[in-house]
């Protein structure tokens, strides 16, 4: 991939012959499909979500994330957002996803639909906002990795709040605490029936094992975006060398604790336990109550990863050069540091979809 087709390399001022550029080339699939996600989102000619609206909302989300360079990239093509219910509710939804995704409810989605947003439009809107949150944190991390001092004020690294309702919207048994058990997830918008996909689209779903998942068939209302997002995920988490997979899964669980995403935390804490063979340390992490320091009682290596991942996850992000140094002192080289950044940033994207388009439940056979 050349810098001409790599927006992040340009916006983060990554020199083509640098160690970081080499690391990103090693993670070529993640680099290429993060770019591909951007290209799909900002090229689709959808009448239910015009490009001018997409650029305007992207610029606003970048501003909320304290990313003026990213904001300046999106602003020139932004259309005006008026005081219509359509735009006001879209802005409110974008703000909620950015700052407090755990507060989303089915009623917020119903309000968007009443204002004229289609199911596909809502999925695309949510993907866009979640992607800009990913892109903002990825750029921030890449800047830190190059030694650029952050203007962030170091804040305590703490666990976020989560849902406390005893039942889901449909009456299933809900979760009121984090767990490593296998959970179900139900959508608040109808997943697209498999019969409504073309044969080619069904092949794409089947390739990734998404055919039987309500979550992925909901996201597949905009299948090109979902495909690039899935390939970005695989390029970040399912690659050899660099940061051990257990540590990448740990970072995903940490971000999920910050955002209050019980479903994502259950999946990735369980994987971290399986791969690290350290169930107790992972259980200690997911058991931290809201407001508690996430790295308390962890090994020096995991504490450094936890502190950095959590700091990168808040809005605006609060990660510092000092945290990069702490990771280097634990033996992480440039490729491993890139893996921490990308694993953490990706779950700024994943959590914001899981938390706002549906909710987890305890399966009846558990």
């Amino acid at each position: 991939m050349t810098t001409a087709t790599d927006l992040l390399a340009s916006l983060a001022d990554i020199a083509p012959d640098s160690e970081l550029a080499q690391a990103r080339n090693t993670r070529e699939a993640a680099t290429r499909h993060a770019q591909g996600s951007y290209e799909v989102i900002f090229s689709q000619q959808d009448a239910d979500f015009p490009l001018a609206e997409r650029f305007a909302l992207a610029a606003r989300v970048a501003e909320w994330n304290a990313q003026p360079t990213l904001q300046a990239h999106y602003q020139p093509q932004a259309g005006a957002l008026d005081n219509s219910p359509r735009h006001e509710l879209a802005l409110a939804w974008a703000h909620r996803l950015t700052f407090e995704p755990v507060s989303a409810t089915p009623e917020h989605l119903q309000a968007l639909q009443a204002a004229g947003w289609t199911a596909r439009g809502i999925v695309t809107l949510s993907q866009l906002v979640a992607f800009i949150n990913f892109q903002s944190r990825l750029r921030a991390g890449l800047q830190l990795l190059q030694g650029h001092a952050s203007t962030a004020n170091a804040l305590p690294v703490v666990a976020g709040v989560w849902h406390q309702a005893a039942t889901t919207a449909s009456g299933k048994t809900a979760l009121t605490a984090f767990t490593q058990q296998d959970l179900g997830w139900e959508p608040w918008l109808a997943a697209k029936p498999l019969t409504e996909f073309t044969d080619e689209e069904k092949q794409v779903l089947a390739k990734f094992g998404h055919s039987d998942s309500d979550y992925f068939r909901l996201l597949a209302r905009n299948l090109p975006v979902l495909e690039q997002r899935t390939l970005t995920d695989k390029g970040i988490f399912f690659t050899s060398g660099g940061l051990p997979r257990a540590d990448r899964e740990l970072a995903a669980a940490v971000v999920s604790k910050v955002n209050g995403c019980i479903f994502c935390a259950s999946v990735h804490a369980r994987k971290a336990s399986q791969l690290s063979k350290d169930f107790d340390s992972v259980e200690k992490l997911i058991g931290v109550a809201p407001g508690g320091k996430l790295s308390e009682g962890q090994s020096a290596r995991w504490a450094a990863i936890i502190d950095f991942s959590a700091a990168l996850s808040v809005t605006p992000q609060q990660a510092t050069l000092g945290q990069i140094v702490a990771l280097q002192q634990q033996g992480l080289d440039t490729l491993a540091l890139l893996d921490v950044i990308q694993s953490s940033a990706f779950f700024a994207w994943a959590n914001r979809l899981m938390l706002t388009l549906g909710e987890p439940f305890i399966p009846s056979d558990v």
Side-chain angles (χ1 to χ4, degrees):
M1 176 177 292
T2 65
T3 54
T5 58
D6 185 356
L7 178 63
L8 276 166
S10 174
L11 295 181
D13 300 317
I14 300 172
D17 58 350
S18 66
E19 204 172 302
L20 177 55
Q22 182 179 349
R24 293 185 78 236
N25 286 335
T26 300
R27 292 289 178 258
E28 186 271 341
T31 300
R32 174 159 47 94
H33 293 295
Q35 175 69 20
S37 298
Y38 160 78
E39 290 173 356
V40 169
I41 292 170
F42 294 101
S43 66
Q44 291 178 328
Q45 301 293 333
D46 288 0
D48 61 350
F49 192 5
L51 279 175
E53 290 182 352
R54 297 189 188 198
F55 281 107
L57 287 162
R60 192 67 63 90
V61 175
E63 179 185 9
W64 291 334
N65 276 284
Q67 288 291 319
T69 300
L70 194 58
Q71 181 186 1
H73 169 77
Y74 288 113
Q75 195 63 58
Q77 298 179 76
L81 296 175
D82 57 33
N83 294 325
S84 66
R86 174 183 174 83
H87 286 166
E88 285 188 349
L89 285 167
L91 271 172
W93 185 244
H95 190 275
R96 187 177 304 279
L97 263 69
T98 298
F99 288 100
E100 199 178 10
V102 74
S103 70
T105 67
E107 289 72 26
H108 294 124
L109 296 176
Q110 292 163 13
L112 284 166
Q113 289 179 302
W117 284 89
T118 64
R120 176 185 167 92
I122 291 171
V123 167
T124 307
L125 169 62
S126 302
Q127 285 275 29
L128 181 152
V129 175
F131 171 77
I132 300 300
N133 276 280
F134 159 76
Q135 193 180 47
S136 295
R137 286 162 177 80
L138 190 49
R139 181 184 180 275
L142 294 174
Q143 288 283 94
L144 286 173
L145 200 44
Q146 296 178 93
H148 296 287
S150 171
T151 58
N153 296 316
L155 295 175
V157 180
V158 298
V161 298
W162 58 80
H163 288 291
Q164 286 296 303
T167 58
T168 68
S170 70
K172 294 184 177 70
T173 303
L175 279 297
T176 57
F178 281 75
T179 178
Q180 294 193 54
Q181 74 184 77
D182 199 2
L183 303 176
W185 185 91
E186 63 180 28
W188 292 334
L189 281 176
K192 186 174 178 177
L194 195 58
T195 54
E196 294 183 11
F197 290 93
T198 66
D199 288 341
E200 184 179 353
E201 290 171 337
K202 288 177 183 176
Q203 289 175 8
V204 174
L205 288 172
K207 177 174 65 174
F208 298 120
H210 292 167
S211 302
D212 296 326
S213 166
D214 282 344
Y215 174 65
F216 287 110
R217 284 191 292 102
L218 172 56
L219 295 183
R221 288 188 176 277
N222 192 327
L223 188 57
V225 175
L226 172 60
E227 183 174 17
Q228 288 300 314
R229 177 192 174 276
T230 301
L231 290 168
T232 304
D233 179 1
K234 290 185 178 299
I236 291 172
F237 285 92
F238 298 89
T239 46
S240 60
L243 193 72
R245 173 79 183 280
D247 292 350
R248 300 185 214 186
E249 298 292 348
L250 173 73
V254 170
V255 180
S256 302
K257 281 289 293 183
V258 171
N259 290 323
C261 188
I262 287 176
F263 185 91
C264 290
S266 73
V267 172
H268 298 281
R270 190 164 61 251
K271 288 181 180 178
S273 284
Q274 292 167 351
L275 294 166
S276 68
K277 312 299 183 188
D278 192 352
F279 177 90
D280 290 343
S281 292
V282 176
E283 191 70 8
K284 185 180 296 181
L285 166 69
I286 65 169
V288 176
K293 186 176 180 182
L294 288 165
S295 61
E296 194 72 42
Q298 299 288 347
S299 69
R301 177 186 174 85
W302 272 22
I305 293 172
I306 290 168
D307 285 343
F308 175 80
S309 296
L312 193 66
S313 303
V314 294
T315 306
Q317 68 87 25
Q318 299 292 332
T320 65
L321 276 176
Q323 290 172 330
I324 293 288
V325 171
L327 289 166
Q328 291 171 328
Q329 290 172 343
Q330 294 302 316
L332 275 68
D333 61 11
T334 300
L335 181 58
L337 288 167
L338 177 63
D339 287 336
V340 174
I341 291 165
Q342 295 197 142
S343 299
S344 303
F346 185 80
F347 271 80
W349 187 350
N351 289 168
R352 282 172 170 78
L353 298 175
M354 273 285 177
L355 282 168
T356 60
L357 295 175
E359 60 186 318
F361 63 87
I362 300 175
S364 57
D365 58 348
V366 173

